Amino acid sequence: MSPRDSQRSRVYDAEQLVRRMFDRADEFGARTIEMHGSNLTLPIERRFGSVESVQTYVDRVLALNWVRAHWDRAAEPVTVRARAGAEAAHYEVEGAVLAVPLRSVNRPDSVVHRRNAWALRELVILHELAHHLEPARSETAAHGPEFCARYLDLVDGIIGPEAALLLRTTMYSCGVRIA
């Protein structure tokens, strides 16, 4: 039996705040934000237009030498599929499947355009990959401190240290514990 996932909502709150900051940077073209008195330049966050482009991205991330050296499960392939609904992306341990919604929360009757595809973005995909990279037979909570550390390592190494700093700081502000 897995431990209670007591900080799940705090992790999601932190992620939503960070995604909103990236969205605003994209919308207004201002990549520099002020964070705790310091200026931070946000890197570009990749967006995806299809399940196939997410699959290519996932394959490339899992093939990175540093990812393979750090996590044994990086050698285990992940299959990306479309998910019904618009509310959440998720990772299925059984079969190593990453499911992403292709419909917009605001426009559920239509396949989303790139600018509205909240789940077809790098931060969301790296979150789900952090679930995949959890060591086999782990007894940790799904969004526990160990997960958060994996997720931050991925964000740091792939999107960049500025994005990881923003996410880490926002997580701490939301009360998230990180290993």
Side-chain angles (χ1 to χ4, degrees), residues 16 113 147:
Q16 186 174 13
H113 296 285
F147 164 82

Side-chain angles (χ1 to χ4, degrees), residues 56-133:
T56 299
Y57 176 80
V58 165
D59 293 344
R60 288 181 177 169
V61 168
L62 293 177
L64 291 169
N65 290 337
W66 71 269
V67 172
R68 290 216 172 199
H70 202 74
W71 296 288
D72 292 338
R73 287 190 36 96
E76 194 173 312
V78 170
T79 301
V80 179
R81 71 167 176 84
R83 179 189 188 283
E87 292 299 319
H90 70 268
Y91 175 74
E92 302 164 3
V93 176
E94 191 67 37
V97 175
L98 195 162
V100 292
L102 299 180
R103 302 207 179 271
S104 170
V105 173
N106 298 329
R107 297 173 48 199
D109 59 326
S110 65
V111 174
V112 288
H113 296 285
R114 189 173 167 185
R115 62 186 160 79
N116 294 324
W118 76 269
L120 295 176
R121 62 189 305 158
E122 204 164 20
L123 285 166
V124 172
I125 303 308
L126 292 176
H127 173 118
E128 300 309 330
L129 280 178
H131 285 301
H132 172 70
L133 295 172

Side-chain angles (χ1 to χ4, degrees), residues 66 123 126 150-161 163-164 167:
W66 71 269
L123 285 166
L126 292 176
R150 269 192 314 279
Y151 181 32
L152 287 164
D153 285 346
L154 286 170
V155 170
D156 188 334
I158 295 172
I159 301 177
L167 182 57

